[in-house]
Amino acid sequence: MLKSILSLSIMAAFGLLVFALLLPVQANNLAQKVLGQVITVNDAVGVSTPVTAISKAISGVISKGTDALVATDTPGTPKDNSPMSQVNIIDATNIERVKAGLQPLKTNAKLAASAKIKAEDMAKNQYFEHTSPSGKTVADLGDQVGYDYVVMGENLALGNFDGAAEVLDAWMKSPGHRANILNTSYQDIGVYAVQGTYQGRTVWFAVQHFGTERGVCPALSASLKNSIGTLSTKIKTEEAQISALRKQIEDPSHAQDQSYGILITQFNNLVKIYNSDVQTSQANISSYNKQVVAFNSCLNQYQVSKE
């Protein structure tokens, strides 16, 4: 899938503070309407929208020390009560949203898992980019952990932070990162921070993953879609049978006997069934298309990032 990436980074002489931002990645996969008696219904899954990558430098961010925080059971991972814990970073994030008059984000276990994968991968492979050396982006990580999204975003930070308040303050001073934190399109958040070394210094790799799940949009009825396909196949079979009976009835060599009358009865009965099935099919198509319109209307709301 194509992804949209906006990176902001600065490499200062130590103390080291680096940030990166990924603007929302939208799921640009509009469902297809169905028309006519022969139905083709495409699955509502697809690709994301490409956005030009832009790079900017962040200024005015100063590191405040190099002391390492106490490690937990997993080396380098903050405890729940530590300054760089997931809880503290999410709380600091939601404080900023509430101050702006927005709803707080809900902690999402899948986004927490994707943020953990990203943070640990950056620490292990010594890089600081939205696209990993293996080519994975935030949308790929969302897919990996089973987060079925209509929109996702990512904030990254690297440096010797004292805690959540400091990293949030730095993110909020950057317009791009602030836009992610205050984006009204997001409902969920997952956060992870891991301590490691980067260019010979002890630092924190911090990741925020934002998103909204596809379930926010009206569902497309799989059973209705299947019934449309099944009925379409039945109608095609009936059309072939009607055509064959018509040829027999219109054959001038066919004797005008009792068997001819039986053919006409069969033909009329089949036409009656066919017309009923076509009527049902059109009603089902209309119902499904209304669902498609509602789904696409919802999905379109997430194609433009909103502050």
Side-chain angles (χ1 to χ4, degrees), residues 178-246:
R178 177 188 177 91
N180 253 353
I181 290 170
L182 301 183
N183 193 321
T184 59
S185 291
Y186 297 140
Q187 294 185 1
D188 304 326
I189 187 173
V191 169
Y192 198 77
V194 63
Q195 198 171 53
T197 59
Y198 189 75
Q199 297 183 350
R201 302 301 296 263
T202 300
V203 296
W204 285 100
F205 296 84
V207 179
Q208 285 179 312
H209 278 178
F210 307 94
T212 295
E213 292 184 291
R214 184 179 298 273
V216 71
C217 291
L220 298 175
S221 172
S223 61
L224 182 57
K225 172 187 169 182
N226 291 336
S227 70
I228 289 172
T230 300
L231 193 53
S232 175
T233 300
K234 183 173 183 285
I235 288 172
K236 290 178 182 178
T237 300
E238 290 167 352
E239 288 174 345
Q241 292 172 342
I242 289 171
S243 178
L245 286 172
R246 184 189 297 275

Side-chain angles (χ1 to χ4, degrees), residues 24-278:
V25 176
Q26 292 93 10
N28 183 25
N29 42 358
L30 301 184
Q32 300 299 308
K33 287 187 177 181
V34 290
L35 302 171
Q37 297 173 11
V38 179
I39 312 304
T40 300
V41 182
N42 294 329
D43 290 337
V45 295
V47 299
S48 55
T49 305
V51 177
T52 303
I54 305 172
S55 295
K56 295 182 180 178
I58 297 176
S59 59
V61 181
I62 301 173
S63 172
K64 290 188 177 180
T66 59
D67 292 341
L69 298 180
V70 177
T72 60
D73 295 339
T74 301
T77 304
K79 293 180 178 179
D80 287 344
N81 60 355
S82 78
M84 288 293 283
S85 71
Q86 172 180 274
V87 171
N88 285 332
I89 294 176
I90 291 177
D91 284 348
T93 301
N94 281 332
I95 287 172
E96 296 297 338
R97 287 180 64 88
V98 171
K99 282 165 56 178
L102 304 178
Q103 289 293 319
L105 298 171
K106 297 174 293 185
T107 301
N108 183 281
K110 292 179 179 178
L111 288 182
S114 65
K116 181 176 186 290
I117 293 171
K118 180 67 175 181
E120 291 182 342
D121 190 57
M122 288 193 298
K124 177 182 177 181
N125 293 301
Q126 293 293 286
Y127 71 95
F128 188 70
E129 300 288 345
H130 292 296
T131 302
S132 72
S134 64
K136 288 187 177 181
T137 66
V138 64
D140 296 314
L141 296 177
D143 293 340
Q144 182 176 336
V145 299
Y147 186 77
D148 190 16
Y149 67 92
V150 293
V151 63
M152 284 188 71
E154 178 180 79
N155 279 350
L156 305 178
L158 183 153
N160 359 54
F161 303 104
D162 287 341
E166 185 179 17
V167 70
L168 253 294
D169 180 66
W171 273 329
M172 290 297 291
K173 287 177 179 177
S174 162
H177 298 84
R178 177 188 177 91
N180 253 353
I181 290 170
L182 301 183
N183 193 321
T184 59
S185 291
Y186 297 140
Q187 294 185 1
D188 304 326
I189 187 173
V191 169
Y192 198 77
V194 63
Q195 198 171 53
T197 59
Y198 189 75
Q199 297 183 350
R201 302 301 296 263
T202 300
V203 296
W204 285 100
F205 296 84
V207 179
Q208 285 179 312
H209 278 178
F210 307 94
T212 295
E213 292 184 291
R214 184 179 298 273
V216 71
C217 291
L220 298 175
S221 172
S223 61
L224 182 57
K225 172 187 169 182
N226 291 336
S227 70
I228 289 172
T230 300
L231 193 53
S232 175
T233 300
K234 183 173 183 285
I235 288 172
K236 290 178 182 178
T237 300
E238 290 167 352
E239 288 174 345
Q241 292 172 342
I242 289 171
S243 178
L245 286 172
R246 184 189 297 275
K247 287 182 179 180
Q248 293 183 56
I249 292 171
E250 294 178 347
D251 185 353
S253 65
H254 198 291
Q256 303 292 312
D257 54 12
Q258 184 177 3
S259 64
Y260 185 78
I262 292 174
L263 280 177
I264 292 176
T265 301
Q266 290 176 342
F267 178 85
N268 288 336
N269 288 340
L270 187 55
V271 167
K272 183 178 179 180
I273 293 171
Y274 173 85
N275 287 336
S276 176
D277 287 343
V278 168

